[in-house]
Amino acid sequence: MEKKILIIDDEDIVLKSCIRILRNDTYKIDTAYSGEEGLARIDQEKYDLVITDLMMPGMSGMDVLRSVKDRKLDLTVVIFTGYATAETAREALKMGAFDYIPKPFTPEEFRDVVQNAIKSGEGSEATMLDLMAIVSHELKSPVAVVHTTAQTLAKGYFGNLEPKQKEILETIIRNCQYLEDIIRSYIDLSKMELDDIEAFNQKVNLVDDVIQNVLDIPEYSSNMKNMKILTDFRSRPVIQGDPNLLQIVVTNLVNNAIKYGRENTSIKISVYEQDGNALFSIYNEGVGISKDDIETKLFSKFGRLRQKGTEGVKGSGLGLYICKKIIEKHSGKLWAESVVGQYVNFFFTLPMR
């Protein structure tokens, strides 16, 4: 069946190039010279794929994306632009873009993105998640080796370092942490077919089967920030759920407490019972999070906060979104309380068995 594609760009040469690249494929291609014209065509026709430039006079590609999202259209969108930055790419993905390709692009690059985008609209999301998980698993070990080696060097086990050498190693370590965050998030996403999971009937001791398994990971107990993890297990509640998914939640929360916490302070983890629920809390001192960010961005997909004091810290923007989904699938609730410049405290509740 012939697939219909709409290409929006204010440059005639770009539109003609795109048509020429795809001319031997079985696509029906329409073009528009502005965001306004593109949306008018979307109102009149059903497209399998829309490709739009980011920077255009009048309505931008982001505006087109927002309109598609606001109208809740079942439509795959790809963005290309000559103004490629990490922030614009992230913003496009947050707004629902399938992919992002910078100009100039080769015919092969453009054709591959189009083919992948068309396949994504044919219900291949699960296959894509499986592929992401496989790739992530393959990357996990080599990145961990680089991370560990860089940390060993930074600690001076192989000799004293010059200030510039230490600065370079710290950059390597930060980027390894960022890559590990993304890898873990994609692996977690591949496990997120939660509606099909039958393991929610398991009897789970929240402390022994979930939390302690995370705290036994050496990188947390001997972290680079010298942050002690203190525990207060007033209860060992038994809940019903999936221990592997709940470990994803606790791992993300502990990882964030270290990543955004203040050096040489303590992370406090508590578990107790309240109103028939198991209540978990994790507290750390640090830059904190504003009330507005907690309410609007913190748990959103690809949500990234811009906070003074965390400029060098990177993340995928998926961790807390995944945590929230897992807790909600367990009929629980996840939230945060914070005072900017002082602390942040994350909580989740789960109904007890």
Side-chain angles (χ1 to χ4, degrees):
M1 183 176 173
E2 190 178 58
K3 299 296 182 179
K4 296 186 69 174
I5 299 174
L6 173 64
I7 305 175
I8 309 170
D9 199 297
D10 59 315
E11 296 182 68
D12 187 59
I13 189 170
V14 173
L15 295 176
K16 288 179 178 177
S17 295
C18 292
I19 292 171
R20 188 166 58 251
I21 290 169
L22 299 176
R23 66 188 172 195
N24 294 325
D25 297 300
T26 56
Y27 302 127
K28 182 182 183 305
I29 300 172
D30 289 338
T31 59
Y33 287 91
S34 68
E36 292 87 349
E37 183 186 349
L39 281 179
R41 284 188 171 275
I42 289 170
D43 287 337
Q44 296 167 2
E45 297 274 352
K46 180 172 176 53
Y47 292 100
D48 297 285
L49 173 64
V50 172
I51 306 169
T52 177
D53 189 23
L54 186 65
M55 302 295 290
M56 296 181 290
M59 179 176 280
S60 69
M62 282 299 186
D63 293 330
V64 173
L65 258 179
R66 287 190 187 92
S67 182
V68 168
K69 185 176 180 180
D70 291 343
R71 299 182 194 188
K72 294 181 171 58
L73 300 177
D74 183 17
L75 186 58
T76 304
V77 180
V78 167
I79 285 217
F80 50 45
T81 180
Y83 302 88
T85 69
E87 283 304 310
T88 52
R90 186 182 297 279
E91 188 64 25
L93 292 171
K94 281 172 62 178
M95 293 302 300
F98 170 79
D99 207 346
Y100 183 97
I101 182 167
K103 297 177 183 177
F105 45 80
T106 67
E108 290 76 19
E109 288 171 339
F110 183 68
R111 195 177 291 113
D112 285 347
V113 169
V114 169
Q115 289 173 351
N116 289 335
I118 290 292
K119 286 179 183 177
S120 80
E122 295 174 346
S124 61
E125 182 179 358
T127 304
M128 206 161 87
L129 284 176
D130 288 341
L131 178 60
M132 285 160 53
I134 292 167
V135 172
S136 297
H137 275 290
E138 290 299 314
L139 289 172
K140 188 176 181 181
S141 292
V143 170
V145 169
V146 173
H147 191 180
T148 303
T149 304
Q151 285 183 321
T152 302
L153 290 169
K155 289 177 179 178
Y157 290 134
F158 294 99
N160 295 328
L161 300 173
E162 298 292 331
K164 188 64 180 176
Q165 293 173 320
K166 193 168 184 180
E167 182 184 332
I168 291 169
L169 281 172
E170 287 171 353
T171 301
I172 293 171
I173 291 168
R174 281 199 305 271
N175 280 284
C176 284
Q177 289 170 336
Y178 172 54
L179 287 172
E180 286 173 337
D181 184 25
I182 290 177
I183 288 166
R184 186 178 60 254
S185 293
Y186 282 143
I187 291 172
D188 293 348
L189 271 177
S190 72
K191 302 172 185 173
M192 289 287 287
E193 302 296 316
L194 299 180
D195 289 327
D196 300 325
I197 287 177
E198 298 176 356
F200 284 104
N201 292 323
Q202 290 186 53
K203 179 180 174 183
V204 180
N205 184 302
L206 184 59
V207 173
D208 298 335
D209 299 333
V210 178
I211 299 169
Q212 199 59 57
N213 288 341
V214 175
L215 298 184
D216 287 341
I217 298 172
E219 67 186 84
Y220 294 142
S221 57
S222 58
N223 59 82
M224 288 286 288
K225 286 190 172 181
N226 195 33
M227 299 178 74
K228 292 183 179 179
I229 300 179
L230 308 178
T231 59
D232 179 13
F233 300 144
R234 302 176 210 174
S235 172
R236 279 178 151 74
V238 174
I239 55 98
Q240 189 167 298
D242 185 308
N244 294 320
L245 288 173
L246 292 173
Q247 281 185 44
I248 289 173
V249 177
V250 176
T251 298
N252 268 286
L253 295 177
V254 172
N255 186 59
N256 282 351
I258 295 171
K259 192 191 314 186
Y260 298 102
R262 191 171 290 132
E263 288 188 25
N264 301 309
T265 60
S266 296
I267 296 168
K268 300 173 184 176
I269 296 176
S270 301
V271 176
Y272 48 95
E273 298 174 18
Q274 186 179 80
D275 300 328
N277 292 312
L279 193 149
F280 169 97
S281 77
I282 180 166
Y283 168 98
N284 70 271
E285 296 179 30
V287 296
I289 308 168
S290 72
K291 184 179 179 182
D292 181 61
D293 280 345
I294 289 174
E295 293 175 351
T296 61
K297 296 179 183 178
L298 188 61
F299 299 104
S300 64
K301 196 173 186 180
F302 296 111
R304 290 283 292 146
L305 310 185
R306 291 181 175 87
Q307 301 158 277
K308 188 175 180 181
T310 64
E311 293 85 354
V313 182
K314 298 179 180 180
S316 67
L318 287 169
L320 289 174
Y321 167 80
I322 292 170
C323 290
K324 188 170 186 288
K325 291 296 181 185
I326 291 173
I327 293 298
E328 288 177 348
K329 287 293 182 178
H330 282 79
S331 301
K333 180 184 176 184
L334 171 67
W335 74 97
E337 296 174 0
S338 179
V339 173
V340 174
Q342 296 185 32
Y343 73 88
V344 63
N345 203 350
F346 281 90
F347 302 85
F348 68 73
T349 57
L350 295 168
M352 290 176 59
R353 184 179 172 87

